[in-house]
Amino acid sequence: RLRKLQLKYLAIYGFMVAGDWLQGPYVYVLYESYGWDREIIGVLFVTGFGSSMIIGTFVGSLADQYGRKRFSLVYVALYIISCLTKHNRNFWMLSIGRLTGGAATSLLMSVFETWLVCEYHHIEETSIGVKTNSKVGSLQQTLSLASLLNFVVAVLSGILAEGVVNIFPYNKDPQSSSSTWFYGGYTAPFDLAVMCLGVGGLMISVLWSENYGNGSQTSSGFFAVLKQVSSSKLILCLGLTQACCEGAMYSFIFLWTPALRQKKVDGQEPLPLGKIFSTFMVCSMLGSQVFSICVKNGISEERIMFMTLLIATFSLVLGPIDDVVGTSLMYLGFLMFEVCIGLYYPAMGTLKSKYVPDQNRSTIYNIFRIPLNAIVLIVLLGNFSIQLSW
């Protein structure tokens, strides 16, 4: 039963994260191709993160109440709407896409893992004669494989997205055409994302059973759950750890390209950003495998998390040291940080499966994202120098 659940989850999760990763490389350049300047593009990005912080939080509590499978399908619908809006250059249409995309991102980061953990706990309760350690190990293995799969899909999605952009050019040049609707070109990866989301949604409808908070169709109100989180030091610590670590990760996403460009000497070839991104993903895959090795050797997730955060902090310190001393350690620090990200996701997933109650799991996961999105908004709106951001 555990093996069957693992395969069911990973097959669908692969399509879900593909629907997310296929969009990433071309969101910014799509907006640019429609003639929007950096300031307006910044507003669109802030709209997405603001939506994730506000709408996504309450969507998580609804998922606990009305079913995680049902809201996995809501994720599919919201992200498909977000992708389809990319065919229209109108600011308000693009803003709707950012709103639905932000809410969808919150669901991706919570409801799928919540469904998985609840199913594992259900098997634990109904299985007889199966050692607990074997089941916990299976959950750890599934989360580690999901992290590895996520990074593999990221690399493949980048290659596929670039391929469809080259194969299917714009039907009209957005710079010279007065038309509002476009297809092909930078919209092509979003159409491919729609296909992946559609296939994954169909698989969810057929293969997944429904589960709710604590096995029932009732769930505590959002503010009651918020009080529960604030009164539990352990859950609060997990939430703050997630917010700080993933806040640093999203800040890193915005900073690594301009940081490396600063180091480029005039006259050098343009930075191979695609290859650099691929090395980051390879390091993240390595981190997920290191997590599996650590678990097999009896190292607790708590200890893994502590060491991961310690090394991640040191790796990012290399950035400002590089600026002051003039060494070439920045890129090495970036690679170390990505290994830590590969370790972080399965470790955090396992810790949350241990300590966050099933009854309000989706709600709590999304409450964790409130300070995370606040950190990202501060970075986006603050217009800090790269040195200060480090």
Side-chain angles (χ1 to χ4, degrees):
R1 292 179 65 188
L2 290 173
R3 181 63 174 169
K4 184 178 178 181
L5 173 61
Q6 184 182 77
L7 293 175
K8 257 194 316 192
Y9 177 75
L10 291 175
I12 291 169
Y13 183 72
F15 281 105
M16 297 297 101
V17 294
D20 182 53
W21 280 114
L22 282 164
Q23 303 176 51
Y26 289 98
V27 175
Y28 193 96
V29 292
L30 174 74
Y31 295 155
E32 274 190 330
S33 72
Y34 285 160
W36 297 113
D37 59 27
R38 183 177 177 182
E39 182 179 348
I40 296 298
I41 294 172
V43 171
L44 289 169
F45 274 92
V46 167
T47 301
F49 283 106
S51 167
S52 182
M53 182 171 66
I54 299 170
I55 300 175
T57 300
F58 293 97
V59 166
S61 63
L62 292 173
D64 283 330
Q65 183 173 354
Y66 295 106
R68 284 76 178 256
K69 173 185 175 179
R70 184 173 288 120
F71 272 78
S72 297
L73 295 173
V74 170
Y75 159 79
V76 171
L78 288 173
Y79 235 168
I80 286 177
I81 292 171
S82 179
C83 290
L84 294 178
T85 63
K86 301 301 189 291
H87 288 276
N88 191 298
R89 76 192 315 168
N90 180 272
F91 173 80
W92 297 109
M93 183 67 76
L94 294 173
S95 296
I96 291 171
R98 294 301 298 176
L99 286 170
T100 58
T105 300
S106 283
L107 287 172
L108 175 62
M109 296 300 177
S110 59
V111 74
F112 289 91
E113 185 180 308
T114 298
W115 180 89
L116 171 70
V117 173
C118 188
E119 289 296 305
Y120 262 97
H121 288 173
H122 175 70
I123 291 175
E124 285 183 345
E125 293 169 0
T126 57
S127 296
I128 300 175
V130 181
K131 292 183 179 180
T132 302
N133 287 339
S134 68
K135 291 195 283 289
V136 172
S138 295
L139 179 58
Q140 292 167 330
Q141 182 192 46
T142 302
L143 292 170
S144 179
L145 288 173
S147 178
L148 176 63
L149 178 63
N150 183 36
F151 298 124
V152 171
V153 169
V155 175
L156 295 177
S157 295
I159 296 170
L160 287 172
E162 183 176 354
V164 294
V165 167
N166 293 331
I167 293 171
F168 303 104
Y170 273 124
N171 63 318
K172 308 164 198 171
D173 182 4
Q175 298 296 328
S176 58
S177 173
S178 60
S179 177
T180 303
W181 293 91
F182 299 89
Y183 62 86
Y186 294 139
T187 69
F190 297 91
D191 293 332
L192 189 57
V194 168
M195 296 178 193
C196 290
L197 292 165
V199 171
L202 182 61
M203 293 173 68
I204 289 173
S205 300
V206 174
L207 297 176
W208 280 14
S209 57
E210 187 60 276
N211 64 48
Y212 303 90
N214 204 26
S216 68
Q217 297 191 39
T218 61
S219 182
S220 303
F222 169 77
F223 292 103
V225 178
L226 186 61
K227 184 177 179 181
Q228 177 187 7
V229 171
S230 61
S231 62
S232 171
K233 291 183 179 179
L234 188 56
I235 296 177
L236 189 61
C237 179
L238 274 178
L240 292 175
T241 300
Q242 176 177 326
C244 291
C245 187
E246 294 185 26
M249 181 191 71
Y250 282 113
S251 300
F252 172 81
I253 291 171
F254 302 134
L255 291 170
W256 73 264
T257 300
L260 291 178
R261 278 178 174 163
Q262 278 189 348
K263 293 294 179 181
K264 189 174 80 70
V265 179
D266 291 339
Q268 282 186 341
E269 292 292 322
L271 289 173
L273 298 179
K275 291 180 180 177
I276 292 172
F277 176 77
S278 296
T279 62
F280 289 166
M281 293 300 101
V282 170
C283 287
S284 295
M285 293 181 217
L286 176 63
S288 68
Q289 293 306 294
V290 172
F291 172 80
S292 296
I293 294 170
C294 290
V295 168
K296 287 178 181 177
N297 284 277
I299 303 175
S300 68
E301 291 82 9
E302 291 83 356
R303 187 171 182 81
I304 294 172
M305 180 62 74
F306 175 77
M307 295 304 300
T308 296
L309 297 178
L310 196 64
I311 296 170
T313 302
F314 172 75
S315 68
L316 291 182
V317 168
L318 293 179
I321 288 177
D322 209 30
D323 290 330
V324 174
V325 181
T327 63
S328 300
L329 295 175
M330 181 181 289
Y331 180 59
L332 175 62
F334 289 175
L335 296 178
M336 290 172 57
F337 182 73
E338 288 293 337
V339 172
C340 292
I341 293 301
L343 275 157
Y344 163 82
Y345 274 110
M348 176 57 75
T350 305
L351 289 173
K352 289 191 294 187
S353 74
K354 283 184 179 180
Y355 300 120
V356 176
D358 277 339
Q359 182 180 359
N360 300 299
R361 187 174 294 276
S362 292
T363 309
I364 292 173
Y365 280 15
N366 279 288
I367 287 173
F368 288 173
R369 293 185 62 80
I370 295 175
L372 161 62
N373 284 298
I375 291 171
V376 175
L377 287 174
I378 290 171
V379 173
L380 278 173
L381 297 172
N383 197 26
F384 304 119
S385 67
I386 293 176
Q387 289 77 12
L388 183 59
S389 297
W390 289 131

